Amino acid sequence: MAKITYIEHDGTEHVIEVKTGLTVMEGAVKNNVPGIDADCGGACACATCHVYVDEAWREKTGKQSAMEESMLDFAENVEANSRLSCQIKVTDALDGLVVRMPESQH
């Protein structure tokens, strides 16, 4: 399990224990965290699970795949630390991860 802090655009924090092997997106959806829509269910076919990875965690979450980079073209307000949360696998090394949600996923 990894403890992940999801921060909504308005600053509301949700600290959730997410099972290893799930994705950051699945942790949010299973725990009803608002701000991650996940319209495609985690297939990397939309950009509605867009998050900003806290700078301290960017390296540990890995690099964007070509498909993820392509899907982020559909997201609003993309930054250097933007990721699709469906593409970040939860491992014990991500215990303490902090992600922020954009104002809108659409």
Side-chain angles (χ1 to χ4, degrees):
M1 292 270 219
K3 192 175 288 185
I4 299 175
T5 301
Y6 299 85
I7 304 174
E8 293 180 54
H9 181 73
D10 68 4
T12 303
E13 293 188 11
H14 304 269
V15 180
I16 309 289
E17 294 229 351
V18 181
K19 187 176 176 182
T20 301
L22 294 179
T23 64
V24 172
M25 183 262 329
E26 289 172 314
V29 170
K30 289 179 184 292
N31 290 282
N32 300 311
V33 175
I36 295 183
D37 297 343
D39 289 345
C40 75
C44 196
C46 72
T48 62
C49 67
H50 175 211
V51 295
Y52 302 110
V53 175
D54 188 86
E55 288 300 320
W57 292 93
R58 280 183 68 187
E59 207 169 293
K60 288 184 179 177
T61 57
K63 295 185 186 275
Q64 301 168 353
S65 68
M67 175 69 89
E68 180 179 359
E69 197 172 320
S70 178
M71 286 296 106
L72 280 167
D73 286 342
F74 296 101
E76 294 180 23
N77 303 313
V78 173
E79 302 288 339
N81 61 335
S82 288
R83 293 292 308 272
L84 296 182
S85 59
C86 70
Q87 299 302 295
I88 304 172
K89 274 277 198 233
V90 176
T91 65
D92 291 340
L94 293 184
D95 187 38
L97 174 65
V98 177
V99 295
R100 290 174 173 74
M101 273 82 80
E103 185 172 4
S104 172
Q105 293 288 3
H106 300 281

